[in-house]
Amino acid sequence: MDRRDEAVVSNRYARQTVLGEIGPEGQARLAAASVLVVGAGGLGCPVLQYLVGAGVGRVTLVDHDTVEVTNLHRQPLYRMSDIGRLKVEAARDTLQGFNPEVQIEARAERLTPQNTAALVATADLVVDAADSFAVTYMLSDACFAVAKPLVSASVIGLTGYAGAFCGGGPSYRAVFPDVSIDGGTCDTVGVLGSAVALMGSLQAHLALHLLLGFESSVLGRVVTFDAKKLAFGGFGFDGSSEPEASVPFIAPEAVRADDIVVDLRGLDEAPVSPFAGARRLVVDTIEQLEEPSGRVVLACRSGQRSLMAADKLRARGITNLALVALG
C-alpha cells in the first residue's frame, strides 16, 4: 500500500469518527460487526451503500434474483451492463469498488425456512430488505428466538415504513400478528424510486443506531412515511405481547403426504401446482374449504395471500395450518 492509499484508508471515516457519539471506539464497533442483509433491491441498495460506507466489518448479502432493466430506476448499485447478472455478485463488485475494507459475502439463494436460522446465526444484526411477507415473518421468528435485532422495511406505491424488532424487544408478529392486506406489489401498484431510497436509508440509519449502541434504543419503534403528503409518522410498540399462536412458514419439501394443500394462485398464474392433489382456491373462496381432518397448507407466490387466507380460516376455528411461499 503506497502513501496515497494509506491516506485514503486513514481518512475514509473521518467525517463520522469526529462525531462525539462515535469516535474511534464507535468506529471499532462497526468494524467488528457482522450484518445479514436479505434483499439487494430498492431497499437493499441504500442499506448496503451506507452500511459498507460506514465501515461495517462484514456483510452477508442474500438474494436470488438477477438484475432487470425495470430495477434500474430505483436500484443505483446496478448499471445497464449488469442486466442478467446475479444481483448479489453485481452489488458485491460495486460495493468493494468503493470500500475494499469491508468483507462482503454474496449468497445467491432464496431465504427459506431451512436456511434462515443458520444465516441469522452468522450476524450481530439482520436487515430485512426483501419486501416480502414470508421473508419478514421467517426472519422475525428466527431473530426473536435468539434475541437478535431485526430492522425491517416495506414500500408500496408512495407509502412505507421502517422499524426495529426483536433483539430483546417485541417481534414483528407482536405488532402484526394477523396480516389482512388487500395489497399489491411493486409490479402491480408501482413504486417511486426516491421513496424506496428514503426508507432504505432509514433502515441503514436504524441499523447503525443499534450497532453503535446509541440511546435511546430504536428497538420497539416504527417510522412511517407518506411520500405524497411528505408526512412522517410512526408509533412505539415496546411492551407489546407476543401472540399465543402463529402460523409458521415451511419449506415445500416439508409438505407431508397427508396434508391438505390449497394452492391460492390462479390457473393463469400457475397452470400446474407442484403439489399433487392440491385444491385450487383463492382468498375470496377459501371459506369453501370443508372442515379439515389434518393440517392445511396454504401456498402462494410471496406468502401474502397465504397469510390472508390463514386469517379467514383461523376465524373459523381452523388452527392446524402452515404456509408455503413458492417464489
Side-chain angles (χ1 to χ4, degrees):
M1 182 181 296
D2 63 29
R3 290 181 179 178
R4 184 174 61 180
D5 292 334
E6 290 177 354
V8 169
V9 171
S10 64
N11 292 330
R12 182 184 299 277
Y13 310 114
R15 296 299 181 270
Q16 65 188 37
T17 55
V18 74
L19 289 167
E21 295 85 351
I22 298 180
E25 296 80 7
Q27 193 60 50
R29 289 185 66 164
L30 294 180
S34 176
V35 176
L36 170 66
V37 178
V38 180
L43 292 167
C45 282
V47 166
L48 291 162
Q49 286 174 295
Y50 284 107
L51 293 185
V52 170
V56 170
R58 177 182 173 85
V59 174
T60 301
L61 173 57
V62 176
D63 196 303
H64 64 283
D65 279 342
T66 56
V67 180
E68 300 177 3
V69 68
T70 55
N71 301 146
L72 301 182
H73 89 286
R74 67 190 187 283
Q75 299 177 21
L77 286 178
Y78 311 119
R79 302 179 181 183
M80 288 290 292
S81 58
D82 290 320
I83 291 174
R85 293 186 68 194
L86 288 166
K87 284 186 176 180
V88 291
E89 294 181 356
R92 178 196 58 202
D93 292 349
T94 299
L95 293 165
Q96 290 191 325
F98 72 79
N99 193 352
E101 297 177 32
V102 175
Q103 182 180 353
I104 302 171
E105 180 182 2
R107 302 189 61 152
E109 58 187 281
R110 188 188 300 274
L111 191 86
T112 69
Q114 295 161 306
N115 64 12
T116 301
L119 287 167
V120 167
T122 67
D124 301 311
L125 179 145
V126 178
V127 177
D128 164 28
D131 212 359
S132 158
F133 285 112
V135 167
T136 301
Y137 280 103
M138 285 189 284
L139 288 175
S140 179
D141 291 345
C143 288
F144 186 73
V146 294
K148 288 190 178 178
L150 169 68
V151 176
S152 182
S154 178
V155 182
I156 292 292
L158 293 170
T159 61
Y161 75 86
F165 307 86
C166 306
S171 73
Y172 186 88
R173 288 187 186 273
V175 190
F176 306 108
D178 301 304
V179 176
S180 297
I181 295 179
D182 225 2
T185 65
C186 291
D187 292 339
T188 59
V189 177
V191 67
L192 186 63
S194 56
V196 181
L198 192 150
M199 300 314 293
S201 297
L202 181 56
Q203 271 189 288
H205 180 72
L206 293 175
L208 292 171
H209 197 287
L210 290 166
L211 291 173
L212 290 164
F214 286 172
E215 296 292 345
S216 300
S217 176
V218 293
L219 287 174
R221 292 176 59 186
V222 165
V223 178
T224 60
F225 179 59
D226 186 322
K228 187 173 182 179
K229 297 179 181 178
L230 288 181
F232 281 93
F235 56 90
F237 57 89
D238 194 27
S240 296
S241 59
E242 299 297 321
E244 294 183 3
S246 59
V247 183
F249 279 91
I250 63 173
E253 297 79 11
V255 175
R256 304 188 298 252
D258 60 346
D259 284 332
I260 300 163
V261 181
V262 180
D263 194 326
L264 296 163
R265 299 172 300 169
L267 292 174
D268 56 338
E269 179 184 358
V272 178
S273 176
F275 305 107
R279 293 283 305 272
R280 300 302 292 257
L281 300 172
V282 296
V283 174
D284 289 340
T285 61
I286 193 64
E287 287 88 352
Q288 296 177 12
L289 185 70
E290 60 277 3
E291 195 69 26
S293 57
R295 184 174 70 169
V296 177
V297 177
L298 302 167
C300 69
R301 184 184 65 82
S302 70
Q304 180 173 330
R305 284 169 285 182
S306 295
L307 285 161
M308 294 168 67
D311 286 351
K312 292 191 174 188
L313 292 180
R314 291 171 74 185
R316 285 176 49 190
I318 299 171
T319 57
N320 190 9
L321 303 168
L323 312 176
V324 172
L326 297 171

